[in-house]
Amino acid sequence: QVQLVESGGGLVQAGGSLRLSCGASGDTFYAMGWFRQAPGKDREFVAVVDWSGGSTDYVDSVKGRFTISRDNAKNTIYLQMNSLKPEDTAVYYCAAGHIVSHHGTDFGSWGQGTQVTVSS
C-alpha cells in the first residue's frame, strides 16, 4: 500500500524559511512533486523532481525562493522554502507518479497535506 507522509509545515513570518519533507512507502516513483491549495483557490503546481534529482521545475511564483530535492535512499523529497511571502500560505501536498508533469492528474499518489502559514 502506497503512503506519502508530509511534515515540516507551520507558522512563519514573512521572509522566513521552512523545509517540508515527504516520505514515500510502498513503491518507488520516477517523479515526485509538491502542490498547494490556498483557501478558496484551486490546487496549484509548485515543484517537481525526477528520479535522478537532476531535473526540476517550478511554478514561476516560487522560482529563486524554493528548492525541491530528493534522497532516493530514504525515498523522501524535500521542499526548502525561503523568503516566504503571505501569498505562499496554503496546504502543501506531496504527490508521486511516473512522469514529470505540472498536472495533478498525472500523479496517482498523494499525501494528506501540511499547512504552511506565512504571517505579514
Side-chain angles (χ1 to χ4, degrees), residues 51-83:
W51 173 259
S52 72
S55 178
T56 59
D57 202 5
Y58 303 87
V59 66
D60 285 347
S61 61
V62 309
K63 286 180 180 178
R65 300 188 298 122
F66 291 11
T67 302
I68 189 171
S69 60
R70 70 187 293 168
D71 182 342
N72 290 333
K74 296 180 180 179
N75 216 10
T76 297
I77 64 167
Y78 306 94
L79 186 68
Q80 178 66 43
M81 306 185 294
N82 298 329
S83 301

Side-chain angles (χ1 to χ4, degrees), residues 17-101:
S17 298
L18 284 174
R19 188 195 195 206
L20 305 183
S21 300
C22 172
S25 60
D27 202 350
T28 54
F29 301 94
Y30 180 78
M32 294 186 71
W34 293 94
F35 290 74
R36 65 187 179 186
Q37 187 166 21
K41 294 188 176 182
D42 293 335
R43 182 179 60 192
E44 175 188 41
F45 163 78
V46 176
V48 65
V49 61
D50 73 347
W51 173 259
S52 72
S55 178
T56 59
D57 202 5
Y58 303 87
V59 66
D60 285 347
S61 61
V62 309
K63 286 180 180 178
R65 300 188 298 122
F66 291 11
T67 302
I68 189 171
S69 60
R70 70 187 293 168
D71 182 342
N72 290 333
K74 296 180 180 179
N75 216 10
T76 297
I77 64 167
Y78 306 94
L79 186 68
Q80 178 66 43
M81 306 185 294
N82 298 329
S83 301
L84 282 160
K85 304 176 181 180
E87 51 263 45
D88 295 317
T89 294
V91 177
Y92 283 69
Y93 296 92
C94 174
H98 298 288
I99 62 170
V100 176
S101 172

